[in-house]
Amino acid sequence: MSTSALSATDLEDALQAVLKQGSLVAEDGSHVVDGLEPRFIATPYSAAELAAVLACANEHGAAIIPWGAGSNMMLGNVPERYDVALSTARLDRVIEYEPADLVVTVEAGLTLAKLQALLNKHGQFLPIEGPLDATIGGLLAVGHGGPSQQAYGRPRDWLLGCRIALADGTIVHTGGRVVKNVAGYDLSRMMVGSLGTLGVIVEVTLKVASLPAREELLLNTHADKIEACDAIRAGALRGLALRAACVLENKAAYWLSGPASAVERTRRELYEAHDGETERMDAEAGVQFGGALAVHDASDLEFRATVPPSKTAPTLQEFEACSRVLSLGIESACYPTVGIVLAWLSHGDVNAYASFIEQTRRAAVDAGGSLVVTRAPTDLKARLDVWGETSALSLMRSLKQEFDPKSILNPGRYVGSI
Amino acid sequence: MSSSGLPGVAVVQCHPDMSAAKPDTRSLDKGTIRLLERAVGKNAVLWRPEEVLAFEYDGTIERAMPQAVAFPDSAEQVAAVVGIALDAGLPVVPRGAGTGLSGGAVAALGGVVVALTRMKRILEIDAEDQLAVVEPGVVNLDLSKAAAPHGLYFAPDPSSQRACTLGGNVAENAGGPHCLAYGVTTNHVIGLEVVTPAGDIVEFGGRTSDTPGYDLRGLFVGSEGTLGIATKITLRLLRRPEATRTLLAIFDSVDQASAAVSAIIGGGIVPSALEMIDHHVISAVVQAMDVGYPADAGAVLLIEVDGLLDAVAEQALEMRDVCLAEGAREVRQADEAAEREKLWAGRKGAISALGRLAPNYYVLDGVVPRTKLPAVLRDIYRLGEEYGFPIANVFHAGDGNLHPNVLFDERKPGETQRVLEVGAAIMRLCVDAGGTITGEHGVGLEKRGYMDWIFSEEDIAAMAKVKAAFGSTDLYNPCKMFPTGKGCGEVSQAKIEHVMKQAGPDAYI
Ligand SMILES: Cc1cc2nc3c(=O)[nH]c(=O)nc-3n(C[C@H](O)[C@H](O)[C@H](O)COP(=O)(O)OP(=O)(O)OC[C@H]3O[C@@H](n4cnc5c(N)ncnc54)[C@H](O)[C@@H]3O)c2cc1C
Ligand SMILES: Cc1cc2nc3c(=O)[nH]c(=O)nc-3n(C[C@H](O)[C@H](O)[C@H](O)COP(=O)(O)OP(=O)(O)OC[C@H]3O[C@@H](n4cnc5c(N)ncnc54)[C@H](O)[C@@H]3O)c2cc1C
């Protein structure tokens, strides 16, 4: 279903002309976004072919949704139009990898699992979490910081350069293949978190890290979540060797990581500072750590609040109080050292969810942060902006206008319905 | 027109004709001066030629006279000044401390310099959330000093940190020795208040690291004063590490030292700093101060690790072993602050010590993949011999960020021209090795001509889209970063000579 007036056969003919045989198929229900189905799914074999699809769509005013693994298509406002799902699945080559430089260049459709497997062979890894089938392009297009950002920063900090197919079909490159570079505007950073609304990332050059010598997981049980938050913040203040720290239920989960001696010292201190129950797990469990947080299929709505770290516990308390008032089920996880609260809601109706988001968003904004609804039923999305208010929106609109004047890329899904 | 001697390569420089024709912009009338004075105060506008003279240069060779310098004291005043200048058809040039090394703050086509030095208040230090909110004119080191009582510091530490402003750091995305482990300026800026070229006061980012929407913060950092003026900056502060160890690894040759750099980086430890100082620089340093560097060494590496006490001891040992395995003749270790300071003094004073070797030196800034360091350094020395200049290298080796210093004497006829030529040839080496033309000093006026070595026309057109989206025009810090610009001519040999004679040795730092 699409709202654009263009003729399906014209578009199909034009797309067939630029794509290899078999690269264009009709929608089969696998690429639905917020209830909307595209007409076609295009899976080009090369960046040039992908760019040609964009040029063609741009000419026809056809709306494109770039598609990585499709693991995060719940994120975003309801699309305004949707004609073609443009998959990067076949752009999955490793272009260049020089382990001694800790730099790798890959196509954007390569999965996180494949990249990590390659890097791991050389004792290296990319410190960005995500589902293993997620594509590198998709991860960067979403671009928010995961659990390890405490130690490793955000996804944007690992992107050295990229090639981007713009809406009109030109391919541009930005940045470079060296770890320090200030030549020209930082268009790589502009792409991170832009949700595929300014162009399609076709190739990326990433900085990678060496695998830490030692990793393990430690779970300390506390009286309640707030006590767990406080304990984590105290540990971080002492500069302990932590890759991430998270509060789950009434447990403080620590992901210890670093040189063996630093990890031992950290474990010792965390034991000593704690008089409740403690559980220790190996590194393998640590790798699963991020994954465990994301599975909350029974919930209707998922959101992420980002606040100054010291406001994590109060924000969480506010959320829970609000859910009680509205009789909603809430589950949550938070990262007190980086100020992220993730929460999952259930047992409510659209009205209750909408007023919950309105109230909690105000609390997050008052605390100096923001709240993004990362998954919600379509009827709820129709009632609210999943991103919340954004400063400098008119500048963002100008940027969109410059890069995608016909608004063919993910129309309507981004902040301010860009 | 100055030709670099390389096929198809010109050292394009932008400079108004200082002797005759007026720049391609309107001149400053009395009415505009009055408007500026009304906006920022009578004492906060300079316009007499003898007053604005001090603002005609930054740390580079280039210079050009602005028509006025205004010193606003608030975002509103900045917006007013920008509006008055643009309305009068005059270029706007933001300026911090003027320590820039690519000509970014030079008023290439004249116009109004917006000097941010009055806006130097530290508005907030939030120890709990480890952030600071500052005005753009705050000097880099002053922030770390103010944060010290809380056990915090600002990580990017350009060697110019006693003088350069945080606004200038943001505009250039400045780095420094300790950016290897902790990242350059962009990794530490979380929010900005910016006066756009259209005069709007807008906020990018905020007090948290992720905010919804395009990363305008990330786009602005490193935009070299071409997208607006930062009037408030929210920065991340880091906690002082529990322990720090500094090593001085002494090698007989630059080759061995650069192989050790590759081995350290490839081996998986990220030191907080990894700097190389070659024999030319060592000889200058030992003449200038007593820091204990051996005068006969081919190169030394200054290596620092920090973190938990237990870990740094372990890592220092590992580094030592790597260096010895790569042929270091000796590795010294400093644990106490005073000893460490002494080792660092040689690095920090290196540039000024170069004055002992030659009357002038020209600092370059290029980056290569770390595995290419040995080969590229060899080629740099070879080029120095070909052109007849000693080239002294003191640089951020861990990042592959080279700073070759071409030593010369401007009084010798034709030297300046050949210096620029060898500079271009070195930049070309970096690019050919898979690197880039600037790691931290920016493109500015100086390297505009090299942009098309690394970017296609389409790439640059995409950057122009950003500039347009921000409402920035040809009058907004003109002749910077983009390879072409209306009215931005090329410098003749005679003009460069003239300028350098006026500028004197200090201008090349
Ligand atoms: C355990 C777990 C941890 C997670 N951690 C993180 C994290 O740390 N950081 C994070 O950002 N997300 C994280 N996520 C969220 C999510 O999984 C990722 O955003 C997701 O991996 C995106 O990859 P994908 O290939 O599935 O993208 P898709 O779902 O296919 O696409 C996501 C969005 O990006 C656009 N897009 C996709 N590919 C491109 C491209 N090449 N160019 C331009 N736009 C494109 C799409 O149009 C879409 O809007 C996590 C999820 C889980 C389950
Ligand atoms: C001895 C010496 C050592 C140096 N070492 C290093 C080093 O280790 N690492 C490094 O990265 N650099 C180094 N530099 C270069 C220089 O110090 C940095 O680029 C610094 O960030 C410039 O700051 P400034 O305040 O002097 O800016 P200026 O030189 O005044 O301006 C630089 C640019 O920033 C723009 N600008 C200034 N303020 C603002 C603002 N508020 N908003 C928008 N734009 C603005 C100007 O228009 C100009 O384009 C060194 C310079 C010297 C002289």
Side-chain angles (χ1 to χ4, degrees):
Chain A
M1 187 180 75
S2 165
T3 51
S4 32
L6 67 114
S7 133
T9 40
D10 281 0
L11 177 64
E12 182 172 6
D13 291 348
L15 287 173
Q16 292 289 13
V18 298
L19 282 163
K20 277 216 189 78
Q21 191 131 43
S23 301
L24 189 75
V25 298
E27 163 66 357
D28 55 4
S30 59
H31 289 70
V32 177
V33 177
D34 294 327
L36 290 182
E37 282 188 15
R39 296 173 188 188
F40 309 107
I41 302 159
T43 313
Y45 280 90
S46 66
E49 221 174 84
L50 184 144
V53 170
L54 287 175
C56 172
N58 198 42
E59 193 178 313
H60 287 82
I64 296 270
I65 294 191
W67 199 281
S71 71
N72 203 6
M73 283 298 165
M74 329 57 101
L75 180 65
N77 289 318
V78 180
E80 237 166 54
R81 308 171 342 255
Y82 184 14
D83 299 300
V84 182
L86 179 54
S87 166
T88 58
R90 286 177 182 147
L91 302 185
D92 63 349
R93 280 160 288 241
V94 175
I95 308 287
E96 192 180 332
Y97 176 31
E98 178 51 79
D101 279 329
L102 286 99
V103 171
V104 67
T105 302
V106 300
E107 287 188 309
L110 189 75
T111 63
L112 186 59
K114 283 191 184 152
L115 178 62
Q116 299 291 30
L118 170 70
L119 300 174
N120 288 173
K121 270 193 237 158
H122 297 272
Q124 298 178 351
F125 77 116
L126 178 71
I128 302 181
E129 280 94 24
L132 289 178
D133 68 340
T135 63
I136 302 304
L139 269 171
L140 292 168
V142 173
H144 66 76
S148 323
Q149 65 170 295
Q150 178 184 338
Y152 288 105
R154 280 154 299 277
R156 64 186 187 223
D157 299 324
W158 296 87
L159 183 62
L160 299 175
C162 57
R163 291 212 305 146
I164 313 160
L166 298 180
D168 66 2
T170 34
I171 295 187
V172 298
H173 106 274
T174 160
R177 293 187 182 181
V178 281
V179 296
K180 220 167 154 192
N181 189 355
V182 297
Y185 295 142
D186 196 343
L187 301 187
S188 309
R189 274 173 201 266
M190 176 184 84
M191 291 306 290
V192 179
S194 68
L195 204 78
T197 57
L198 296 176
V200 179
I201 303 168
V202 291
E203 185 184 300
V204 300
T205 298
L206 299 156
K207 189 163 88 163
V208 300
S210 291
L211 284 167
R214 178 80 70 82
E215 298 220 280
E216 62 186 57
L217 209 64
L218 200 70
L219 284 175
N220 281 350
T221 305
H222 289 272
D224 56 33
K225 286 180 183 168
I226 304 308
E227 192 189 286
C229 279
D230 293 345
I232 285 177
R233 283 184 56 78
L237 277 185
R238 294 200 304 276
L240 295 181
L242 296 174
R243 173 164 166 184
C246 173
V247 176
L248 289 161
E249 303 300 328
N250 59 341
K251 289 188 168 60
Y254 298 92
W255 187 347
L256 282 60
S257 170
S261 53
V263 168
E264 272 154 33
R265 154 98 177 271
T266 300
R267 186 200 315 130
R268 205 166 56 236
E269 287 201 19
L270 290 175
Y271 271 132
E272 278 165 13
H274 182 64
D275 31 57
E277 199 184 308
T278 295
E279 209 181 318
R280 192 176 147 192
M281 292 181 217
D282 63 10
E284 208 42 45
V287 176
Q288 305 292 320
F289 183 64
L293 293 174
V295 189
H296 286 261
D297 290 342
S299 67
D300 293 327
L301 185 151
E302 176 190 282
F303 67 88
R304 185 182 74 241
T306 310
V307 292
S310 67
K311 303 288 186 352
T312 316
T315 302
L316 186 62
Q317 280 172 310
E318 185 91 33
F319 290 178
E320 297 197 331
C322 189
S323 72
R324 276 194 299 274
V325 172
L326 291 164
S327 309
L328 296 174
I330 188 168
E331 284 182 88
S332 66
C334 70
Y335 302 91
T337 51
V338 292
I340 292 179
V341 181
L342 304 175
W344 296 265
L345 296 182
S346 53
H347 307 308
D349 59 16
V350 169
N351 290 327
Y353 290 144
S355 58
F356 179 92
I357 293 299
E358 193 186 318
Q359 287 174 42
T360 51
R361 179 171 275 158
R362 203 177 311 133
V365 171
D366 288 347
S370 57
L371 185 155
V372 174
V373 176
T374 47
R375 172 166 57 82
T378 308
D379 54 348
L380 179 59
K381 280 191 179 183
R383 288 188 43 175
L384 48 82
D385 185 337
V386 302
W387 305 99
E389 292 223 351
T390 314
S391 59
L393 188 59
S394 70
L395 232 167
M396 292 185 192
R397 291 219 163 94
S398 312
L399 208 52
K400 171 73 173 179
Q401 176 66 26
E402 287 291 332
F403 280 89
D404 181 17
K406 292 190 178 172
S407 196
I408 63 157
L409 287 164
N410 269 324
R413 300 185 66 211
Y414 202 48
V415 297
S417 296
I418 278 173
Chain B
M1 145 120 205
S2 52
S3 144
S4 70
L6 294 172
V9 171
V11 182
V12 180
Q13 304 217 332
C14 172
H15 203 280
D17 191 325
M18 296 171 67
S19 51
K22 286 237 161 67
D24 183 23
T25 48
R26 274 192 250 161
S27 60
L28 184 68
D29 56 48
K30 280 265 148 44
T32 307
I33 295 172
R34 293 291 99 78
L35 286 175
L36 289 172
E37 286 177 344
R38 212 170 301 150
V40 298
K42 210 166 161 45
N43 297 331
V45 181
L46 306 177
W47 55 273
R48 293 189 180 82
E50 66 275 19
E51 294 173 335
V52 300
L53 196 64
F55 294 84
E56 72 167 343
Y57 56 85
D58 65 354
T60 31
I61 293 174
E62 338 278 341
R63 35 167 63 186
M65 283 276 271
Q67 281 134 311
V69 183
F71 298 82
D73 197 28
S74 67
E76 290 72 20
Q77 289 191 5
V78 169
V81 168
V82 169
I84 293 164
L86 295 180
D87 285 349
L90 294 167
V92 167
V93 184
R95 182 184 179 96
T99 67
L101 289 175
S102 55
V106 173
L109 300 182
V112 177
V113 165
V114 186
L116 283 318
T117 39
R118 247 173 103 198
M119 296 178 67
K120 52 168 194 271
R121 285 160 285 241
I122 294 175
L123 302 172
E124 184 186 345
I125 288 185
D126 179 342
E128 240 196 322
D129 285 323
Q130 292 184 212
L131 57 84
V133 184
V134 301
E135 289 186 331
V138 172
V139 167
N140 176 297
L141 191 60
D142 289 348
L143 175 58
S144 284
K145 280 187 189 153
H150 305 282
L152 301 171
Y153 72 108
F154 180 59
D157 58 342
S159 315
S160 51
Q161 70 181 148
R162 280 169 205 285
C164 65
T165 67
L166 291 166
N169 294 166
V170 166
E172 299 289 7
N173 192 11
H178 287 90
C179 291
L180 177 57
Y182 299 114
V184 293
T185 303
T186 192
N187 302 96
H188 299 272
V189 176
I190 59 175
L192 290 168
E193 178 190 83
V194 168
V195 174
T196 67
D200 296 325
I201 301 174
V202 292
E203 284 191 25
F204 304 159
R207 289 175 79 90
T208 59
S209 51
D210 280 318
T211 51
Y214 299 130
D215 186 7
L216 300 176
R217 177 211 59 80
L219 263 181
F220 189 88
V221 177
S223 64
E224 304 190 9
T226 63
L227 295 181
I229 295 177
T231 47
K232 209 185 275 177
I233 310 168
T234 306
L235 297 161
R236 213 156 62 93
L237 299 173
L238 298 189
R239 198 154 288 287
R240 286 245 168 253
E242 182 180 275
T244 306
R245 294 285 175 273
T246 307
L247 304 177
L248 184 77
I250 300 155
F251 295 87
D252 290 330
S253 75
V254 169
D255 254 8
Q256 289 173 330
S258 34
V261 171
S262 287
I264 289 170
I265 297 295
I269 312 168
V270 184
S272 51
L274 175 48
E275 303 280 305
M276 193 192 300
I277 304 169
D278 79 356
H279 49 279
H280 291 298
V281 180
I282 293 171
S283 71
V285 166
V286 296
Q287 287 175 45
M289 58 190 112
D290 170 29
V291 289
Y293 293 3
D296 64 336
V300 299
L301 290 181
L302 198 57
I303 312 169
E304 195 154 278
V305 285
D306 61 24
L308 290 180
L309 182 60
D310 328 51
V312 295
E314 184 182 321
Q315 289 178 326
L317 271 178
E318 278 179 60
M319 302 276 180
R320 188 192 154 80
D321 290 346
V322 173
C323 290
L324 292 173
E326 295 295 335
R329 77 156 95 127
E330 186 191 343
V331 180
R332 298 181 193 160
Q333 179 170 332
D335 299 351
E336 298 309 320
E339 298 170 70
R340 290 194 289 105
E341 285 296 314
K342 194 170 170 191
L343 291 184
W344 273 104
R347 167 65 181 95
K348 289 181 177 161
I351 299 275
S352 50
L354 288 178
R356 309 243 163 187
L357 302 184
N360 309 99
Y361 43 93
Y362 180 52
V363 184
L364 295 161
D365 169 39
V367 189
V368 297
R370 293 166 282 206
T371 46
K372 300 276 167 54
L373 273 177
V376 171
L377 279 167
R378 252 177 265 142
D379 285 342
I380 289 176
Y381 291 120
R382 182 182 49 74
L383 277 175
E385 276 164 30
E386 266 174 37
Y387 281 81
F389 298 112
I391 298 180
N393 287 283
V394 44
F395 64 101
H396 314 308
D399 291 317
N401 188 178
L402 294 160
H403 286 327
N405 296 274
V406 185
L407 307 179
F408 68 107
D409 184 348
E410 59 153 19
R411 292 162 305 192
K412 293 192 190 151
E415 285 247 302
T416 308
Q417 180 54 33
R418 291 211 331 285
V419 166
L420 293 172
E421 284 172 18
V422 74
I426 291 171
M427 286 297 110
R428 190 75 237 184
L429 273 181
C430 294
V431 171
D432 290 345
T436 189
I437 57 171
T438 171
E440 54 181 26
H441 295 167
V443 175
L445 270 178
E446 192 190 61
K447 290 182 178 173
R448 290 159 13 102
Y450 311 150
M451 281 288 272
D452 62 7
W453 292 359
I454 51 172
F455 292 118
S456 71
E457 241 170 75
E458 289 82 8
D459 301 343
I460 289 169
M463 293 180 198
K465 287 179 200 288
V466 171
K467 195 169 171 188
F470 273 73
S472 185
T473 63
D474 278 350
L475 282 182
Y476 206 86
N477 207 0
C479 309
K480 308 297 161 64
M481 188 191 288
F482 287 87
T484 53
K486 214 168 64 192
C488 308
E490 291 173 11
V491 185
S492 74
Q493 157 85 20
K495 238 181 275 172
I496 297 175
E497 298 265 316
H498 171 69
V499 163
M500 291 188 67
K501 216 163 262 142
Q502 283 194 325
D506 289 339
Y508 314 122
I509 301 176

